[in-house]
Amino acid sequence: MEANSNSAVPLCTPYKLGRFELTHRIVFPALTRNRSQNNTPQPHVTEYYSQRATNGGLVISEAVAASDISKECPNLPGIWNEEQVEAWKPVVKGVHEKGGVFFCQIWHSGRLSVPTISALFFSIGVGWSTRPDDQVYEKPTPLPLKSDKIPCIVNDFRIAARNSIKAGFDGIEINASSGGYLIDEFMNDQIHSRTDEYDESIEDRCRLALEIVEAVANEIGADKIGIKLSPFDGKKDSNSEALATYMANELSKLGVLYLHVMEPRETANKSLLPIRKAFKGTLIASGGYGKSDGDKAIDENYADLISFGRMFLANPDLPKRFEVNAPLNKYNRSTFYTNDPIIGYTDYPSLEAAS
């Protein structure tokens, strides 16, 4: 099969991401897959990421808990202790041996934290809003995060970032996207009910996110930081565009490397325009993109890079498939969150295996 010229495939053109020379614009984003037993990556995790690493390709890890109180469920990985740092080292090495650039996504799961763990530090839950969710939950309604505990959260992210670099990662992505996660809970006026310095204005609600970014930047450098937002997804803020634009401006001032934004599929190639104008660094777009609309977004300078989640999961060599216009494997949703080390994880065939 003859490869097309990269110049004919916008997604396959090179891009300079800070000090990193990327050979294509296709990003493998964070995908939670519940495969790290006891919050520690296992050998099959190394194989999984290595399969999806390419020379000059950006890989972002699944969400990695910043601390023992921030894990959502038992098999999500962490990076708060030395054992976990050591366990991540071969995973990072595997990506680097393929020539990939590897960022660790760190997070605090907020109201989704395991109640028995959170209770050790925050009474019941760690979510910051006293409003119950609009869903049926087996967990107790979260209690507000006390103001005097917030510096501990900021410090958790700082330590996690330091540990990530210690493990060999090239940088970190701070998860500030929606889904009940802590940072977004602070930013979103539709799910918060605070009455302190983190309430009311957009500036106040974004305070925690920016405090975390600044603390991490002081620890590892702003040029090693990305941040993920999803202002238009889920239960949206009452003024999502203003919130996102404010964050984009502030993140530019702090000099972060990239901003990774999820957009709703129905408004792809539309909602990021104000953010694109406001943010001075690299913009990564995400939200159900296929090859054709990804090529269009790059060709029209709507975004610098495009992340592909489920499509990249099912096609470990997705950049090559895009380059040569090869058919794609279909993903199997039923195997997304199993604990099996192989099924739905490392068993998707490459082009070579399929030929």
Side-chain angles (χ1 to χ4, degrees), residues 20-40:
F20 306 108
E21 299 288 347
L22 304 185
T23 59
H24 57 79
R25 314 290 188 103
I26 303 159
V27 178
F28 181 55
L31 294 176
T32 296
R33 287 297 173 259
N34 296 352
R35 312 288 178 129
S36 295
Q37 283 70 29
N38 299 316
N39 306 117
T40 304

Side-chain angles (χ1 to χ4, degrees), residues 318-339:
L318 186 66
K320 182 64 175 179
R321 289 177 186 259
F322 279 176
E323 181 185 345
V324 303
N325 199 30
L328 301 178
N329 301 321
K330 295 182 179 179
Y331 58 82
N332 183 353
R333 188 185 298 273
S334 69
T335 63
F336 280 179
Y337 303 110
T338 68
N339 294 324

